[in-house]
Amino acid sequence: MPAAPTLTLAFSDIAPHVRYVQHITLDPAISGQPKKLYDHRLTYICGGAGEIHIEDRVYICQKGDLFYWGPDIRYAIHRNAENPLTVMNIHFDFTQSHRTKRFMPPAPFLPQFQADRITEKVELTDAPLFNRPFYLPACFQMERPFLQMAEEYRLQKLFSGPALNGMLLSLLASLYRLLAHQGEAGPRHRELADEIMDYIHANLDKPLTNQSVAARFSFHPNYLNRLFVRHTATPLHRYILNTKADKAMEMLHSTALPVTEIARTLGFCDISHFSRFFKERYGVSPSSLRAGQLTGKQSD
């Protein structure tokens, strides 16, 4: 039996049906083999460590990450035995066509997948970003609505079904606004990464951290770090240390300042920390480099 045809809808036509909501810790013993869903799923990462593979993309999960994918999409979740993932899942349809199917069969491994069990496939004409899987990092503002839906589903109060459907519609609208803003913000984010680098170079005398830089630019540290990595391929903390190490190398060659004074000038109170990251970058400690310079001058 073939799968149901794709429904073409506008966002205003959506009348979602929440099938169930989970707030669970994933069993690390369960295999990470690829599967496919029969309905639609939103997943919010509450904590833990692991990876989510969706089609050919791999995402390293962190708290606050949010994912969406629909039926017939290949995915796999790889758990970490020492720090299992805790997630909230919302399984749903965009329409009420299959509201009598409260529970779907568990997502099967690929050889057991049956396309005729798919509840629906939807194409949204005015919200095309919902027509493919998406990932929103550091989406902490969505934790509360997920928790509210998980609690509503758990309690099963009077009219819980319609209440959940209304909550999901509001959540979908909020998510689409975030997605649209993310798409529009691409060039601005490139400019922001450049501004962050300029700020770091202009403030090497300060004890810069991800938290202090994020506060300066009014972003959450995790979100700012991911944005920075996306545009520089270097974690923010590593960029700060590398830039300070490069400046220290320049000062060792161009000044006669003691190593302790160079460390202080670059915002370090702990000389051992300064020496450790300098040696990590250049393969030699700053004191050894300075001693070699002095020996060379004496032999001249």
Side-chain angles (χ1 to χ4, degrees), residues 225-263:
N225 180 60
R226 293 192 189 192
L227 182 153
F228 193 80
V229 169
R230 188 181 305 152
H231 291 284
T232 67
T234 304
L236 179 57
H237 182 62
R238 175 53 54 188
Y239 184 85
I240 292 170
L241 291 180
N242 287 350
T243 304
K244 290 197 174 200
D246 293 344
K247 183 63 176 179
M249 176 64 83
E250 177 188 322
M251 294 176 73
L252 283 166
H253 284 293
S254 63
T255 75
L257 290 173
V259 171
T260 52
E261 183 63 17
I262 291 175

Side-chain angles (χ1 to χ4, degrees), residues 17 26 29-30 32 59 67 77 86 95 99 106-107 130 148 150 181 193 196 200 205 209 223 232 241 256 282 285 298:
H17 166 59
L26 301 181
I30 296 177
Y59 303 93
F67 300 87
I77 301 177
T86 299
T95 73
R99 63 182 180 275
F130 276 149
Q148 289 173 333
H181 175 72
I196 292 168
I200 291 169
D205 59 324
T209 64
Y223 177 80
T232 67
L241 291 180
Y282 289 109
S285 69
Q298 290 171 357

Side-chain angles (χ1 to χ4, degrees), residues 73-88:
I73 297 293
R74 186 180 75 254
Y75 78 97
I77 301 177
H78 295 265
R79 288 100 165 150
N80 183 307
E82 296 180 357
N83 189 16
L85 281 172
T86 299
V87 303
M88 286 185 279

Side-chain angles (χ1 to χ4, degrees), residues 2 22 34 40 48 65 71-72 78 86 88 107 120 123 152 157 196 203 214-215 230 240 256 262 274 295:
Q22 299 171 306
H40 303 265
D65 289 353
D72 205 16
H78 295 265
T86 299
M88 286 185 279
E120 64 179 18
E123 182 175 339
E152 182 70 34
K157 294 181 179 180
I196 292 168
N203 292 276
R230 188 181 305 152
I240 292 170
I262 291 175
F274 167 71
T295 302

Side-chain angles (χ1 to χ4, degrees), residues 122-186:
V122 170
E123 182 175 339
L124 294 170
T125 56
D126 55 353
L129 298 177
F130 276 149
N131 295 337
R132 59 182 183 272
F134 65 74
Y135 155 69
L136 286 167
C139 205
F140 299 101
Q141 66 270 44
M142 292 301 158
E143 182 172 17
R144 184 177 180 184
F146 267 79
L147 285 170
Q148 289 173 333
M149 291 188 67
E151 183 70 359
E152 182 70 34
Y153 182 82
R154 185 183 70 83
L155 294 175
Q156 290 294 310
K157 294 181 179 180
L158 184 65
F159 303 130
S160 186
L164 282 167
N165 296 339
M167 294 164 78
L168 177 59
L169 184 59
S170 177
L171 177 61
L172 291 172
S174 297
L175 287 174
Y176 199 84
R177 290 170 183 167
L178 280 174
L179 284 167
H181 175 72
Q182 187 182 66
E184 294 168 357

